[in-house]
Amino acid sequence: MKLEINGQPYEVESDGDTPLLWVIRDELGMTGTKYGCGLAQCGACSVMVDGEIVRSCVTPLDSVANRSITTIEAIQNDAIGRKVVAAWVQHQVPQCGYCQSGQVMAATALLKQNDKPTEDDIAAAMVNLCRCGTYNAIKAAVQDLSGQKV
Amino acid sequence: MNDIIRDLQVDNLQVDKDLPTGAPVNLSRRGLLVGSMGAAAGALVLGFGLPVRGARAQDAAKAVAPGTRVPAFLEIRPDNTARFLSPFVEGGQGVFTAMVQIVGEELDMDPKSFIVENAPTGSDYLVVFGKMRITGGSMSVRTSYDTMRKLGASARAMLLEAAATRLGVAADKLATEPGYVVHAASGQRIAYGDLAGDAMSLPVPAADSVTLRDPKQFRWIGKPVERLDVLDKSIGKAVYAIDLKVDGMLHAAVQHAPRLGMSVGAVRNEASVRAMKGVISVHHLPGAVAVVSERWWHAKRAVEALQVDWAEAGAKPVMDGIRVMPANFSTADFAERLANEPGDGKDAEKEGDAAAAFASAKTVVTATYHSQYLHHAQLEPPSTIARFNADGTLDVWMPNQAPEQFQADIAKRTGLDASKVNVHSPMLGGFFGRHFLYQAANPYPQAIQLAKETGRPVKVIWTREEEFLRDPMRPMAAVRFKGGLDANGMPVALEAISICEGPTEGIAGHNKDKLDETAVEGLTGKSYAIPNRRIAQIYVENPTMLAYWRSVGNSMNDFLYESFLDELADKGGKDPYELRMQLLKDNPRLSTLLKTVGEMSGGWKRGPFTAEDGTRRARGIAMASPFGSHTAAIAEVSIKAGEVVVHDVWEAIDPGSIVNPAIIEAQINSASALGVSQVLIEEAVYKNGMPVARNYDLYPILPPSRMPRVHARIIESGEKMGGIGEPGLPAVPPAVANAVSTLTGERVRRMPLSQYTFNS
């Protein structure tokens, strides 16, 4: 099956019902996208497909054939992604960091669709779990990016 | 893990001389170094090794105090960057950054110019009390602060000595500036990176011979230095155990017995599962089955397809050190049993004459409080890679917070000498107490067995479901409280009998002649001037596997105590904040803390009151003194659709003195999140001997929508340095519960609050 990930074409051999997460991590060896629950509960596996956030642990490979997939590995190739990363550093968001690939992807997807999200927009989009409880730092970083006073 | 954590709780960090260090006694440093370097030179994608030059230059046969041999920790490279090998594992608490703030301060090198990796096993790294190595108990910085300062200062002295030789001047004519030795008279500057080759071959000066920097001159200690790992963690480059790969590696997934203690009986469909796509082999393990494949997804699908007839536990345990889970175990029944267990318990703390004081008290209040089992629920599921090497060594990569203890355990299991076992300790995708040596709770025995049986390196990853089935839990307790009030409503006597099993005795075994302090800490160690007190424990063995959880006994006991204290305040007609102030009037340190948190919140107001948005709200106060630090927290709550909303948490912490205020603020946020999560929604429920929840759907952890604003303030009293990672948690659950009790008029005596429906 042909995939486009981070602007590169890939030919993968996994079955069509394999979750995209395991194709990315195991077959393609890109481990920035994380496995947390396998049940679309935590969001650690978030990637963008055609600019939309999806949870790759429950996304079958055959549903993303010929679509444009972006993983955390390419986040700094994206103008908005770069800003999100800079805000993450400025606000010193990560602690253990395990969920942060997914958080950065979620913030980037939000800001790509809506460059001035309201507090409610942010709350609706930034729903990934973080066991370290970095939520306030995440919110501050996204508000900062959306031009809101923190 | 045995008695270690228990000693961490003690305010003055005196350790029994007989404390087990976790270090294998036959450890040969030289053998170990060779082993580690061999691993680094092998096929591993990521290298973990030791600085070769320095290690060789030192004579390993000479006994060296842990934390003093500079080349074991520090490599300064030609490009004037430094690599520091940390004795403490990074799992989000910021310890890598804190370590190089301390070392860099004395070495005179900017923390930004360091990269930090977890150190391999070895006696050099047993820096906790100079004899053991764990990352836990909020101990890293406070127990190694002096050692790390001296280490940095020794390295600087060596660089000065090397520069003196090279320039032909006396060392005392030289000075340093960050990363350079400077000779003012001639204007010459030599980069540390140019000198390191010479310097690291020099003898390390005696630790007490080096001069430390005047704290008034600190550039990095005490400052909000940015963390070193934040960028990598924001772009997916941080590497966790689950991300590692070695050449020729196979993947494995497991299906555990539904109840611990059962073993594999018949497997009904093994032949058809062997024929499934990608399956290389099917294995029977103690209490589990495994499938090995080239791809983990194939292994996972196949192992879940296995139809196993699990055999009930026989007389001989399926694994050492485990408990057999009864088929009829339920947490609801067990909570009832704890609450009704007869007896007065064994004294943990006694002051005055509580019995006499109750007899003469104006009012006596009794109540039973409960805490619940909790999961760690760290986001990174457990994994391990095991690889047997041609030279007879074994490499194991796994999340862990005590490398030498895992090494010793693996040596015991495999019959290998510990020097042949290389334990690699990657960054952790969450700590929370999950990564100690708990029996049946870590995949490394499975990975080792599978590597042996397949003849290939194997990586085992547990699914979230298998993790929640085998995650050892924070203990549950029932506490019978009794309080006596005088005619003025002031508490004159307090008794707390906790019916529980402490995590330490749960892990290391119960000793009927001793008391597990981790069972009662937070009931004990309170500073309130209540003249007659008795704190006791009735030990009841749990059928579950128990564990340390962030802030250990304090994680539940401060909820239990501080909520009951509010109940006493109510019965005595006292405001709970004023009552605490009175009970602490002779304790300036805690009075200051209490005043501070009151001021932070805009002045204590209990409520209920109506907020600007029209919601009815109330505030609760609580205090805790865990891990050598002291905290006070105020929480503001309302009720929405029957559920508690926590709007704000104000928390003041006095850890004595500090290294990085930004990291402390982050840890107060993090600890508040876990505290709010515990009090609002978390509970691991067992029915019929099995956990009801196997994923986050039925074991919810705090989502962003329920995170309060957190306002932290640090007070540096100048007292002895305390912990940071855990102390922020214990005061938060009771502050929330007390606020809810005030708002609803219903006294909350159990966590989590999600079991109640409140009226708005």
Side-chain angles (χ1 to χ4, degrees), chain B residues 339-664:
Chain B
N340 296 300
E341 191 75 10
D344 290 326
K346 188 187 296 178
D347 289 353
E349 186 179 287
K350 211 168 175 206
E351 187 73 40
D353 185 344
F358 286 127
S360 61
K362 172 86 175 356
T363 314
V364 172
V365 183
T366 62
T368 301
Y369 279 68
H370 290 268
S371 64
Q372 74 280 43
Y373 283 136
L374 296 174
H375 281 308
H376 296 92
Q378 79 294 343
L379 229 50
E380 181 193 6
S383 68
T384 301
I385 300 174
R387 181 183 69 192
F388 288 94
N389 304 306
D391 64 359
T393 59
L394 169 63
D395 280 286
V396 184
W397 292 262
M398 64 191 155
N400 78 87
Q401 50 194 116
E404 287 74 13
Q405 294 180 22
F406 283 76
Q407 181 190 43
D409 185 73
I410 291 167
K412 204 172 94 187
R413 287 170 184 277
T414 57
L416 292 171
D417 189 83
S419 64
K420 305 277 190 205
V421 178
N422 305 316
V423 170
H424 307 270
S425 310
M427 200 164 264
L428 300 175
F431 260 98
F432 319 115
R434 176 65 182 86
H435 299 300
F436 286 113
L437 193 67
Y438 303 124
Q439 297 304 321
N442 293 302
Y444 66 91
Q446 299 169 345
I448 291 168
Q449 183 175 343
L450 293 170
K452 195 175 272 181
E453 291 179 3
T454 59
R456 298 261 299 267
V458 172
K459 174 156 82 172
V460 176
I461 299 174
W462 283 3
T463 59
R464 176 60 53 189
E465 288 78 9
E466 296 305 318
E467 160 64 350
F468 274 12
L469 188 58
R470 284 290 173 270
D471 179 34
M473 296 178 293
R474 198 285 303 275
M476 64 193 290
V479 178
R480 291 198 287 264
F481 282 102
K482 191 172 179 184
L485 304 173
D486 67 13
N488 299 318
M490 285 301 287
V492 290
L494 188 145
E495 182 181 71
I497 302 170
S498 177
I499 305 101
C500 71
E501 177 172 25
T504 302
E505 61 196 350
I507 297 159
H510 174 63
N511 180 339
K512 65 178 171 46
D513 300 322
K514 278 186 163 180
L515 193 106
D516 178 2
E517 288 170 31
T518 63
V520 290
E521 57 186 358
L523 300 171
T524 59
K526 287 288 184 181
S527 297
Y528 300 117
I530 300 174
N532 305 288
R533 301 191 301 274
R534 179 175 181 266
I535 310 298
Q537 183 204 11
I538 298 173
Y539 170 79
V540 174
E541 186 177 321
N542 286 227
T544 49
M545 301 295 285
L546 301 179
Y548 301 109
W549 194 86
R550 191 177 191 170
S551 76
V552 191
N554 291 94
S555 69
M556 60 184 183
N557 286 326
D558 286 290
F559 160 79
L560 302 161
Y561 186 108
E562 293 281 320
S563 302
F564 182 67
L565 188 61
D566 260 42
E567 190 163 348
L568 286 185
D570 280 349
K571 278 281 161 41
K574 304 277 185 196
D575 175 87
Y577 183 87
E578 292 306 324
L579 176 69
R580 284 174 175 81
M581 205 57 105
Q582 285 182 54
L583 292 172
L584 294 169
K585 66 178 166 30
D586 297 325
N587 186 325
R589 191 178 180 186
L590 294 191
S591 296
T592 300
L593 208 54
L594 195 52
K595 270 182 213 144
T596 302
V597 77
E599 287 162 15
M600 286 166 65
S601 65
W604 168 248
K605 70 171 173 179
R606 189 184 190 192
F609 55 88
T610 302
E612 278 182 17
D613 66 357
T615 55
R616 292 280 292 161
R617 299 189 184 186
R619 292 181 181 177
I621 173 81
M623 301 183 80
S625 298
F627 302 91
S629 292
H630 301 272
T631 63
I634 291 174
E636 179 173 315
V637 306
S638 68
I639 304 293
K640 188 177 179 185
E643 280 189 346
V644 176
V645 179
V646 184
H647 297 275
D648 291 89
V649 170
W650 294 269
E651 184 160 18
I653 179 167
D654 177 0
S657 63
I658 68 167
V659 171
N660 188 323
I663 290 176
I664 295 174

Side-chain angles (χ1 to χ4, degrees), chain B residues 258-260 325-331 469 686-691:
Chain B
R259 285 181 276 114
L260 189 59
M325 170 58 70
N328 62 353
F329 177 69
S330 97
T331 40
L469 188 58
Y686 271 68
K687 285 180 183 165
N688 302 319
M690 290 180 284

